Amino acid sequence: MCHGERMAHVLLLHSALGLRSAVHEFAADLRDLGHTVETPDYYDGHVFDSERDGIAYRDEVGVPTLMKRAKGYLDGLPEDAVLGGFSLGAFFAQAFAAKRPDARAALLLHSVAPPQGEWNGVPVQVHRYAEDHWIDEPDVAALRDAVEASGASFEDIVVPGRGHLFTDAGTPDGDADATRTSLERIAALLNG
């Protein structure tokens, strides 16, 4: 740790595939940098290998129920915690950060939603493939405009190629180099 660095408390929410080993590995890499990272399981132990099966479970339980479960993990976190996630988890993290103005940052891996109202000054970092069927460019632009209008920084880290969960080597879209780059950019944001 360099002089002046301030370690973060990070909430890292899993994707619709559940709390897979890739989430634990990503969290371990952030912990190795000195950060405290929590990886709660709001899927009650269900883990999936295919997007289709994960989405089916998400729809069976319902997004509002899953969001309520995930929101329960905010209790007890420092007000300045970093809120992050992968895909569905990033969607939840963005929604939570929008209502938590003291959050240190929002880390949105593989998901961007249009903002609901004005943004609150929380810095945002997005990590995504150049072509991702779950992300619409107008949503990225709308979030960027809202975040920057609030005076906060917005970084859009775009990985060349097509796919979705590049941070999960156990999926067809996994990319170790892109994951390493994302970890480096997150470290720069959190340690900067």
Side-chain angles (χ1 to χ4, degrees), residues 81-135:
V82 174
L83 305 176
F86 304 91
S87 194
L88 178 62
F91 174 77
F92 294 159
Q94 181 180 333
F96 301 155
K99 295 180 178 4
R100 203 167 165 116
D102 292 330
R104 186 161 164 190
L107 305 175
L108 310 180
L109 295 110
H110 323 296
S111 176
V112 177
Q116 302 297 312
E118 292 184 17
W119 194 251
N120 56 8
V122 173
V124 172
Q125 196 177 69
V126 173
H127 299 259
R128 63 188 177 101
Y129 267 124
E131 295 179 50
D132 184 327
H133 66 280
W134 289 102
I135 296 177

Side-chain angles (χ1 to χ4, degrees), residues 119 121-122 124 141-156:
W119 194 251
V122 173
V124 172
L143 184 59
R144 173 186 289 113
D145 291 348
V147 171
E148 291 178 348
S150 78
S153 65
F154 181 91
E155 288 183 85
D156 185 17

Side-chain angles (χ1 to χ4, degrees), residues 20-90:
R20 292 168 53 88
S21 61
V23 177
H24 292 295
E25 292 163 11
F26 201 92
D29 288 338
L30 290 175
R31 287 185 192 107
D32 288 346
L33 297 172
H35 303 293
T36 300
V37 185
E38 296 187 30
T39 56
D41 181 1
Y42 61 90
Y43 257 36
D44 292 336
H46 296 279
V47 178
F48 302 95
D49 290 324
S50 79
E51 185 176 282
R52 185 189 75 239
D53 292 341
I55 296 299
Y57 179 77
R58 177 202 71 186
D59 293 345
E60 176 186 325
V61 175
V63 170
T65 298
L66 294 170
M67 183 176 259
K68 184 176 179 183
R69 287 181 190 172
K71 188 175 183 181
Y73 294 104
L74 292 176
D75 296 339
L77 286 179
E79 285 299 314
D80 68 345
V82 174
L83 305 176
F86 304 91
S87 194
L88 178 62

